[in-house]
């Protein structure tokens, strides 16, 4: 069966928060868009303050992918994974920010026993950085 046109209100791009997570918008700078995400993070209580992360002198790298890398760090004493965009070139960084924004938009709402827990995200609009703070699940 076809969906009526009125279902368009449930699309991710129609909500105010989804529009803020659309980091590919051309009408706002990346800095302004990240500042909107900071505001949402404060309202929804998932924004991680810089002092809450305690980094060890030597980072343990868990893995690297095409858009980012995962590192072990501590969040209020608990061992967690910090997922950060990998590339610092402008075009690649913009693409990494878009991917991180989409992942953040989804993970902040997902709670499932087979998906790592999302603790929050560190966002610095001045340096255009996003880092996701996730549960550290040890393999066998």
């Amino acid at each position: 069966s076809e969906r009526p046109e009125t279902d368009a209100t449930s699309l991710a791009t129609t909500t105010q928060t989804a529009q803020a997570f659309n980091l590919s918008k051309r009408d706002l700078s990346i800095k302004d868009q990240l500042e909107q995400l900071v505001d949402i993070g404060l309202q929804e209580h998932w924004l991680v303050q810089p002092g809450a992360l305690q980094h060890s002198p030597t980072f343990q790298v868990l893995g690297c992918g095409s858009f980012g890398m995962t590192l072990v760090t501590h969040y209020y004493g608990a061992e967690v994974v910090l997922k950060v965009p990998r590339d610092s070139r402008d075009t690649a960084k913009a693409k990494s920010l878009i991917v991180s924004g989409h992942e953040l938009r989804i993970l902040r709402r997902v709670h499932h026993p087979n998906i790592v827990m999302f603790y929050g995200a560190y966002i610095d609009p001045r340096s255009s950085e996003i880092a996701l703070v996730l549960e550290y699940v040890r393999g066998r």
Side-chain angles (χ1 to χ4, degrees):
S1 71
E2 289 186 36
R3 297 180 126 179
E5 296 265 343
T6 57
D7 278 353
T9 57
S10 65
L11 296 174
T13 56
T14 59
T15 65
Q16 183 180 6
T17 56
Q19 290 173 6
F21 280 99
N22 182 7
L23 296 178
S24 61
K25 291 191 300 190
R26 304 281 184 226
D27 55 334
L28 287 176
S29 70
I30 293 289
K31 180 180 182 266
D32 291 338
Q33 291 175 68
L34 291 176
E35 286 174 352
Q36 287 181 344
L37 291 183
V38 167
D39 291 341
I40 293 168
L42 288 169
Q43 291 171 11
E44 296 181 353
H45 306 287
W46 52 254
L47 187 68
V48 173
Q49 299 301 322
L53 297 171
Q54 299 89 34
H55 306 295
S56 62
T58 58
F59 282 107
Q60 178 187 353
V61 177
L62 293 177
C64 293
S66 58
F67 288 109
M69 60 191 306
T70 53
L71 311 163
V72 176
T73 191
H74 289 86
Y75 179 55
Y76 290 115
E79 204 168 42
V80 296
V81 170
L82 190 65
K83 185 173 181 182
V84 295
R86 178 180 159 123
D87 207 324
S88 61
R89 292 174 296 157
D90 289 340
T91 55
K93 186 170 189 168
K95 192 169 186 177
S96 293
L97 287 173
I98 291 167
V99 170
S100 295
H102 287 304
E103 191 170 10
L104 173 56
R105 181 178 57 84
I106 293 165
L107 285 176
R108 75 190 223 280
R109 297 285 188 218
V110 173
H111 301 283
H112 190 277
N114 295 333
I115 298 176
V116 295
M117 181 179 286
F118 170 74
Y119 289 116
Y122 167 76
I123 301 173
D124 185 355
R126 291 179 309 243
S127 63
S128 298
E129 291 181 7
I130 296 179
L132 303 180
V133 181
L134 307 168
E135 174 184 20
Y136 180 26
V137 179
R138 295 181 184 275
R140 295 182 193 195

